Amino acid sequence: MFERRGEPLLPRRKFYHRVARSVGYGGLLILSSLAVGTLGYRLFEGLPWIDAFLNASMILSGMGPVDELHHSSAKIFAGCYAIYSGIALITTAGVVFAPVLHRLLHHFHLKAEPKD
C-alpha cells in the first residue's frame, strides 16, 4: 500500500488521495461503531433512539455513559462496548495518521540515504 524504501515520495496529489481514503476508512469505522452502540443501548436497555445515540457517542468518545443502566444485559453490553470503543479509537487514529507518519519517515529516510 505504501511506497517502499528505495522508491521516491508519492506525488502530493496521490498522497492527498491516500489521506482522504484513510480518513474515509476511519470515519466508516466510527460510524459503524456508533450504529452498533446505538442499537445495543436501544435493544438491551430500551432507551429511546436519541438517548441510545447519546450514550453510544459518549462511550465511543471516551466521556462515559449518560443514563443509568437498570438491566444486567445492558450493563454487560455497556462494558463490552466500552472496551471495544477504546480499541476502535486507537485503531481509527492509526488508520487516519498512518499515511502522514509514513510520508514523514519516508521523507527523512530519503534524505539520510546517500545518493549513488
Side-chain angles (χ1 to χ4, degrees):
M1 180 174 172
F2 296 125
E3 54 274 8
R4 295 196 178 263
R5 183 178 234 188
E7 296 176 4
L9 281 176
L10 199 63
R12 282 187 187 212
R13 186 170 184 84
K14 289 185 178 181
F15 171 70
Y16 292 146
H17 178 52
R18 179 183 287 170
V19 170
R21 187 175 54 228
S22 292
V23 169
Y25 289 148
L28 185 63
L29 179 63
I30 293 296
L31 287 176
S32 61
S33 299
L34 190 57
V36 167
T38 301
L39 190 61
Y41 278 109
R42 173 76 178 155
L43 294 176
F44 289 112
E45 187 59 29
L47 293 175
W49 285 107
I50 194 71
D51 291 336
F53 171 77
L54 177 62
N55 273 295
S57 60
M58 293 297 279
I59 290 281
L60 192 59
S61 67
M63 299 294 287
V66 176
D67 293 315
E68 186 177 339
L69 303 176
H70 302 291
H71 300 95
S72 296
S73 59
K75 292 176 183 179
I76 292 171
F77 168 76
C80 293
Y81 184 67
I83 292 169
Y84 165 77
S85 294
I87 294 168
L89 181 66
I90 293 168
T91 302
T92 301
V95 167
V96 169
F97 292 118
V100 176
L101 184 60
H102 177 268
R103 185 172 180 91
L104 181 70
L105 292 174
H106 194 76
H107 177 73
F108 287 128
H109 182 77
L110 288 178
K111 281 188 173 185
E113 268 186 9
K115 301 221 178 190
D116 293 332

